Amino acid sequence: MKYFYQTLLCLFLFVVTIPAWGQTTGSFMVKGDLDKFYPVLWKDNRWFNNTPAELEIGRSSVHVDGDWRGSLMARFRYHVTNWGNGSNFIEADIHRDAISNPDFIAGWRDASGANPNYAIVIWMRGNTTYFYTSPYTIEPPVVYDGVANSLPLVLSNESPYTFKTTVDDYVNQQGKSMGALYLNGATNWTNQNWQKALRLPKGNAIEMDGGTTKYGMGASIDNIFYFFSTTGEDASPAPIYRMIINNNGEIGVGVMPVAGYKMVVDGSLGARRIKVVQGNWADFVFHEDYKLPSLQETEAFIKVNKHLPDIPSEKEVTEKGLDVGEMNKLLLQKIEEMTLHMIKMEKRIQELENKQAK
């Protein structure tokens, strides 16, 4: 019985300790300047196991290396080319201190595209201490900061790697950075079989990086969908709202939507062709029962009102705007009336000429 319990205890310890086998933890310091990011070489020690490598880098306390130097939690999952084998990728999930808001990681790269060193490079802020862990056995990082190892980092068949002074555009400092992303909805969202593959909470936006200008789109708490642009990555610049759609389907381009209008535009509108659908047209002027206003009646109206009959006044257009389709119909009506008057005048002139000829 004694040996039975000893055997059970050994089995228990064996099962409990298996997950800890191969786990690696450590710390390192990237020296150099605080405003530079230096190349740090990390091996892909899972390459020969045919699985992706996993690495976590962190700083829990903002006071490491001095007060308010910032905290970081970052996770990398990667698999390198190792001289052309393919299926390589690098995924990052970074969360930094939102108070002091420092940048710790400026970019990364598979450094084994044309050599067998099975390693990636991560550019990390200088004059900073980091802590790392991996569920597997990994080699300690090799730091090229000009102190621990000289710069540039030179690898066979690769361009030399030196420090960076700015963060690469693909780096997300508060979330995941990864390659192409395909999403499939799990359940039908509407009765037309649209599936909900991605959902953003109210007040959140998707950013599209256009360089110095960033473009965003998102829905706000007042049930309005926005397309906007901004010149920064933080809350300091005011957004410029390019297009706004409300929950009635009314659209404003450069301006808020206006009730009763499907679209309003603040500025010029250019088009190769515009087609306006009209319910009726001005050809009623040529009907036999149409009472053509005399020129005397028109003259009297103009003297009093300072505009043509049926045509809106300057004050009306200024206050209410202009219906393009309706205005074209009214202008055609006046042209048709003028044409009828000209035909009458032509006949009258012909009659007078005939009388004179006799």
Side-chain angles (χ1 to χ4, degrees):
M1 185 63 68
K2 175 182 177 181
Y3 295 109
F4 174 76
Y5 286 116
Q6 287 177 339
T7 302
L8 284 180
L9 178 60
C10 290
L11 288 172
F12 174 78
L13 291 175
F14 175 79
V15 172
V16 169
T17 56
I18 280 178
W21 287 3
Q23 180 173 330
T24 304
T25 60
S27 65
F28 64 99
M29 184 172 189
V30 180
K31 297 182 180 178
D33 299 325
L34 192 62
D35 60 351
K36 294 182 175 67
F37 303 88
Y38 297 91
V40 180
L41 199 68
W42 299 86
K43 292 290 187 177
D44 180 358
N45 286 87
R46 298 297 293 174
W47 198 92
F48 297 99
N49 295 83
N50 304 295
T51 58
E54 296 181 19
L55 168 69
E56 295 186 6
I57 304 172
R59 289 168 49 92
S60 294
S61 173
V62 297
H63 302 298
V64 174
D65 302 315
D67 284 344
W68 303 111
R69 291 288 295 277
S71 62
L72 167 73
M73 289 289 129
R75 173 179 293 174
F76 286 86
R77 184 171 178 268
Y78 57 95
H79 183 72
V80 299
T81 306
N82 205 23
W83 214 338
N85 285 281
S87 70
N88 56 303
F89 70 93
I90 302 176
E91 294 178 352
D93 188 5
I94 302 172
H95 297 272
R96 65 180 179 184
D97 169 28
I99 300 175
S100 53
N101 209 34
D103 292 328
F104 290 99
I105 295 172
W108 47 82
R109 178 181 170 83
D110 180 351
S112 68
N115 59 64
N117 69 60
Y118 61 96
I120 66 170
V121 174
I122 302 177
W123 280 266
M124 308 185 68
R125 187 181 73 175
N127 197 13
T128 302
T129 299
Y130 300 92
F131 303 87
Y132 69 94
T133 184
S134 174
Y136 317 108
T137 300
I138 62 172
E139 298 177 27
V142 184
V143 180
Y144 292 83
D145 53 12
V147 180
N149 291 282
S150 61
L151 285 168
L153 162 59
V154 179
L155 299 172
S156 60
N157 300 319
E158 292 279 332
S159 299
Y161 298 103
T162 187
F163 62 81
K164 294 179 182 287
T165 57
T166 57
V167 177
D168 291 341
D169 290 338
Y170 57 83
V171 178
N172 180 1
Q173 297 288 1
Q174 292 289 8
K176 294 182 181 296
S177 301
M178 60 181 65
L181 180 64
Y182 295 85
L183 302 176
N184 292 314
T187 57
N188 285 342
W189 184 28
T190 72
N191 62 4
Q192 298 296 315
N193 294 325
W194 284 98
Q195 293 189 335
K196 188 184 297 183
L198 176 65
R199 180 181 183 273
L200 296 181
K202 292 182 292 186
N204 285 258
I206 296 174
E207 176 188 339
M208 287 154 283
D209 194 337
T212 55
T213 302
K214 321 295 180 183
Y215 298 92
M217 59 182 181
S220 71
I221 58 175
D222 50 358
N223 298 317
I224 294 181
F225 184 73
Y226 294 95
F227 290 92
F228 61 91
S229 65
T230 179
T231 56
E233 292 285 3
D234 54 27
S236 55
I240 301 174
Y241 294 106
R242 304 297 184 179
M243 182 181 292
I244 305 168
I245 306 174
N246 65 20
N247 58 344
N248 293 324
E250 296 161 340
I251 302 171
V253 179
V255 66
M256 289 293 292
V258 177
Y261 295 90
K262 280 298 181 182
M263 176 180 285
V264 291
V265 178
D266 182 14
S268 300
L269 182 64
R272 291 186 180 276
R273 184 177 179 183
I274 296 178
K275 183 176 181 180
V276 179
V277 178
Q278 284 291 109
N280 55 12
W281 201 228
D283 288 348
F284 55 80
V285 172
F286 299 137
H287 293 176
E288 293 182 359
D289 58 352
Y290 181 71
K291 184 181 182 304
L292 179 66
S294 68
L295 292 177
Q296 292 80 8
E297 291 173 332
T298 301
E299 180 186 20
F301 184 91
I302 292 173
K303 285 183 177 180
V304 174
N305 299 283
K306 308 302 180 187
H307 63 88
L308 285 171
D310 303 318
I311 300 297
S313 66
E314 179 182 3
K315 181 180 179 182
E316 290 177 297
V317 173
T318 302
E319 292 178 353
K320 300 178 181 178
L322 190 67
D323 185 325
V324 175
E326 180 65 18
M327 191 64 197
N328 279 339
K329 185 192 79 171
L330 293 175
L331 291 175
L332 177 61
Q333 178 182 338
K334 296 307 162 187
I335 291 172
E336 291 178 345
E337 290 176 351
M338 187 187 308
T339 301
L340 291 177
H341 281 298
M342 291 178 66
I343 291 172
K344 282 186 176 183
M345 291 176 65
E346 175 69 17
K347 288 181 178 180
R348 180 63 175 161
I349 292 171
Q350 189 65 48
E351 288 176 1
L352 291 174
E353 288 179 349
N354 290 338
K355 285 182 181 180
Q356 288 180 351
K358 292 179 180 179

